[in-house]
């Protein structure tokens, strides 16, 4: 299936309602408004195809960029490739749910995510923290350094309230993910969540949203979800 055919298939799957919803979250033209679930049959036909993924991502079309992440070959991508994809990720649904998800399936994930977290750029920082969430939620605890994650929790506690809005959200999710998916630091994550308290996410022309990692972790405890690991990172 070639590039032109895939673009036609995606356009046919577009829904005006979803297009408006994506745009309300930061997407911009061009886009079709395709439900992620509706992409699965197309993904099964194509499987993994990095050259096609690169063509789709380069379009700037949100749906094509998302689908690029679904069919990408993360192991074939270099750090420079991920930096290039991040340069094109103009809002959080691309940075956190396409680029960081794809990065999470590589051996260089932590190395790249660490650089993004230290970058000072809102979406790169957000993608870096999100990548750790995808990693912690899918890989065995033994693949991580307790001391490193402990230091990251300390960094979150000290800086979250002064961080950019989207980064705050991903940092808050990091606390939650450590508390739920990384058993060795569950108690430490709970302490951090309580120390951080409510995290205010300010939105343009809308009321602020408040996040509470401590409350989220407790709900996971009540549902007996501590130690949860997902089988797959990507769709």
């Amino acid at each position: 299936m070639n590039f032109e055919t895939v673009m036609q298939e995606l356009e046919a799957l577009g829904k005006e309602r979803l297009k408006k919803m994506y745009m309300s979250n930061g997407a911009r033209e061009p886009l079709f408004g395709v439900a992620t679930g509706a992409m699965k049959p197309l993904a099964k036909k194509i499987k993994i195809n990095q050259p096609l993924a690169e063509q789709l991502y380069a379009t700037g079309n949100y749906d094509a960029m998302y689908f690029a992440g679904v069919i990408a070959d993360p192991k074939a991508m270099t750090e420079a490739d991920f930096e290039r994809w991040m340069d094109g990720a103009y809002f959080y649904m691309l940075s956190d749910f396409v680029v960081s998800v794809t990065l999470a399936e590589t051996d260089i994930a932590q190395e790249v995510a660490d650089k993004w977290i230290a970058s000072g750029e809102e979406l790169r920082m957000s993608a870096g923290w999100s990548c750790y969430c995808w990693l912690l939620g899918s890989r065995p605890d033994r693949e991580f350094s307790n001391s490193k994650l402990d230091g990251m929790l300390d960094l979150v506690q000290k800086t979250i309230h002064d961080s950019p809005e989207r980064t705050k959200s991903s940092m808050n999710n990091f606390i939650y993910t450590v508390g739920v998916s990384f058993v060795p630091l569950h108690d430490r994550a709970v302490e951090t969540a309580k120390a951080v308290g409510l995290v205010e996410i300010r939105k343009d022309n809308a009321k602020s949203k408040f996040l509470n990692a401590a409350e989220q972790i407790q709900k996971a405890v009540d549902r007996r979800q501590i130690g949860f690991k997902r089988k797959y990172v990507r769709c």
Side-chain angles (χ1 to χ4, degrees), residues 22-28 31 62 88-97 123 166:
Y22 293 153
M23 292 184 77
S24 71
N25 278 282
R28 63 190 184 212
L31 76 162
Y62 168 67
Y90 63 86
F91 79 124
Y92 80 94
M93 287 172 70
L94 290 170
S95 63
D96 295 12
F97 298 104
L123 290 181
R166 186 59 219 174

Side-chain angles (χ1 to χ4, degrees), residues 133-154:
C133 294
W134 296 113
L135 290 168
L136 291 163
S138 62
R139 298 193 184 187
D141 290 348
R142 64 177 179 274
E143 292 192 19
F144 303 93
S145 163
N146 287 23
S147 60
K148 179 180 180 179
L149 294 178
D150 185 83
M152 292 175 74
L153 285 170
D154 188 54

Side-chain angles (χ1 to χ4, degrees), residues 120-178:
E121 297 177 31
E122 181 172 12
L123 290 181
R124 270 184 165 78
M125 293 166 71
S126 182
W129 289 109
S130 291
C131 185
Y132 268 95
C133 294
W134 296 113
L135 290 168
L136 291 163
S138 62
R139 298 193 184 187
D141 290 348
R142 64 177 179 274
E143 292 192 19
F144 303 93
S145 163
N146 287 23
S147 60
K148 179 180 180 179
L149 294 178
D150 185 83
M152 292 175 74
L153 285 170
D154 188 54
L155 177 63
V156 170
Q157 184 174 329
K158 291 176 179 177
T159 64
I160 188 169
H161 292 294
D162 296 319
S163 294
E165 300 308 305
R166 186 59 219 174
T167 307
K168 284 184 191 177
S169 182
S170 295
M171 293 170 90
N172 187 80
N173 195 36
F174 175 78
I175 302 172
Y176 167 79
T177 305
V178 174

Side-chain angles (χ1 to χ4, degrees), residues 50-222:
Q50 185 61 28
L52 179 56
E54 291 289 359
Q55 284 183 289
L56 292 168
Y57 198 85
T59 63
N61 178 297
Y62 168 67
D63 301 289
M65 295 170 83
Y66 188 97
F67 190 64
V70 175
I71 64 168
D73 181 0
K75 299 287 177 24
M77 296 179 70
T78 65
E79 181 175 345
D81 291 327
F82 282 107
E83 291 291 352
R84 178 166 46 78
W85 276 36
M86 268 305 303
D87 288 341
Y90 63 86
F91 79 124
Y92 80 94
M93 287 172 70
L94 290 170
S95 63
D96 295 12
F97 298 104
V98 177
V99 186
S100 69
V101 171
T102 309
L103 176 62
E105 292 197 6
T106 71
D107 295 331
I108 60 172
Q110 290 193 50
E111 175 187 344
V112 176
D114 289 343
K115 292 178 181 178
W116 288 351
I117 288 170
S119 71
E121 297 177 31
E122 181 172 12
L123 290 181
R124 270 184 165 78
M125 293 166 71
S126 182
W129 289 109
S130 291
C131 185
Y132 268 95
C133 294
W134 296 113
L135 290 168
L136 291 163
S138 62
R139 298 193 184 187
D141 290 348
R142 64 177 179 274
E143 292 192 19
F144 303 93
S145 163
N146 287 23
S147 60
K148 179 180 180 179
L149 294 178
D150 185 83
M152 292 175 74
L153 285 170
D154 188 54
L155 177 63
V156 170
Q157 184 174 329
K158 291 176 179 177
T159 64
I160 188 169
H161 292 294
D162 296 319
S163 294
E165 300 308 305
R166 186 59 219 174
T167 307
K168 284 184 191 177
S169 182
S170 295
M171 293 170 90
N172 187 80
N173 195 36
F174 175 78
I175 302 172
Y176 167 79
T177 305
V178 174
V180 173
S181 295
F182 191 73
V183 175
L185 290 182
H186 168 77
D187 292 339
R188 175 76 171 85
V190 171
E191 291 173 7
T192 303
K194 290 178 179 178
V196 165
L198 289 177
V199 176
E200 181 180 8
I201 308 297
R202 299 181 185 88
K203 297 186 176 184
D204 294 335
N205 305 316
K207 290 183 179 179
S208 293
K209 179 181 179 182
F210 291 90
L211 306 177
N212 188 330
E215 189 175 276
Q216 289 177 294
I217 294 171
Q218 185 56 53
K219 287 180 180 178
V221 170
D222 295 341

